[in-house]
């Protein structure tokens, strides 16, 4: 249930605090914040391997971050990919995600077979998460990816016209029929 709670809360947290629908850079920022949550979760799990309650709490933090990454990166792909390539891009993303999960499970199993503890594997996962967090933070701060200005127009207040204006005929002041 800790995994489910984290996966439910991740998109809610990012949508209510970070994401602005018309600015893709906020989706990229939400992915980076998700990496920070995932890193904190792995560090917490590694530091408290003998407390079931704390492992559950930090698992919720970790999966909150993972859900933020998954949802916002998928939305980013949908927003920035042209419609003729969208299906192929999302298919590639799903395939690479499954391949990555398979590879990580294989490597973690091999490391456990060689005597690595759960704590050591959790610290290794945290170190990998910190590496990606630093990489993507630097990339975002430098204005790359979805943070490029061409994807993020300056904020403009939308004027709403409450009064409907009649459609006028060419040279007439009378409404067209």
């Amino acid at each position: 249930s800790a995994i489910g709670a984290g996966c439910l809360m991740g998109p809610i947290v990012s949508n209510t605090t970070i994401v602005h629908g018309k600015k893709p850079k906020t989706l990229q920022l939400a992915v980076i914040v998700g990496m920070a949550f995932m890193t904190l979760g792995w560090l917490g799990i590694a530091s408290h391997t003998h407390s079931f309650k704390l492992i559950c709490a930090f698992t919720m933090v970790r999966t909150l971050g993972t859900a933020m990454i998954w949802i916002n990166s998928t939305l980013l792909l949908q927003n920035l990919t042209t419609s003729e390539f969208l299906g192929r891009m999302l298919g590639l993303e799903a395939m690479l995600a499954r391949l990555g999960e398979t590879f990580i499970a294989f490597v973690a199993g091999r490391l456990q077979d060689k005597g690595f503890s759960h704590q050591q594997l959790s610290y290794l996962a945290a170190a990998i998460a910190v590496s990606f967090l630093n990489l993507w933070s630097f990339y975002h701060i430098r204005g790359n990816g979805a943070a490029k200005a061409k994807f993020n127009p300056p904020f403009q207040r939308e004027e709403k016209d409450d009064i409907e204006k009649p459609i006028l005929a060419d040279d007439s002041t009378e409404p067209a029929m």
Side-chain angles (χ1 to χ4, degrees):
S1 65
I3 291 172
C7 288
L8 175 68
M9 292 303 298
I12 294 170
V13 168
S14 66
N15 284 342
T16 58
T17 59
I18 302 167
V19 174
H20 181 280
K22 295 185 179 181
K23 296 199 177 219
K25 72 178 177 183
T26 61
L27 291 169
Q28 183 170 299
L29 182 60
V31 169
I32 294 167
V33 171
M35 288 181 192
F37 276 110
M38 186 175 62
T39 301
L40 290 173
W42 276 120
L43 286 172
I45 291 168
S47 300
H48 301 91
T49 56
H50 300 297
S51 169
F52 181 72
K53 288 180 183 179
L54 287 175
I55 287 175
C56 288
F58 283 111
T59 295
M60 190 174 91
V61 171
R62 178 183 61 82
T63 57
L64 182 144
T66 303
M68 287 175 73
I69 294 167
W70 188 278
I71 296 298
N72 291 300
S73 65
T74 301
L75 288 173
L76 200 54
L77 280 173
Q78 289 175 358
N79 285 329
L80 300 181
T81 304
T82 60
S83 58
E84 61 261 6
F85 291 111
L86 185 58
R88 286 174 265 190
M89 183 58 73
L90 293 177
L92 176 66
E93 182 256 347
M95 185 270 305
L96 289 174
R98 298 300 175 262
L99 188 62
E101 289 174 11
T102 303
F103 178 74
I104 292 297
F106 176 76
V107 169
R110 296 292 293 165
L111 289 174
Q112 276 190 316
D113 290 346
K114 292 185 183 266
F116 277 67
S117 68
H118 292 284
Q119 184 178 30
Q120 289 171 316
L121 289 174
S122 296
Y123 276 125
L124 179 61
I128 293 168
V130 164
S131 300
F132 280 103
L133 174 63
N134 289 334
L135 176 76
W136 277 101
S137 295
F138 181 72
Y139 188 72
H140 183 76
I141 289 168
R142 302 265 307 159
N144 293 314
K148 285 188 178 191
K150 72 178 183 178
F151 297 126
N152 298 283
F155 178 75
Q156 295 176 355
R157 179 174 288 213
E158 293 180 19
E159 297 294 327
K160 295 196 175 166
D161 213 0
D162 293 334
I163 302 170
E164 287 188 34
K165 296 178 184 171
I167 300 171
L168 299 177
D170 292 336
D171 292 329
S172 169
T173 56
E174 295 295 317
M177 293 196 191

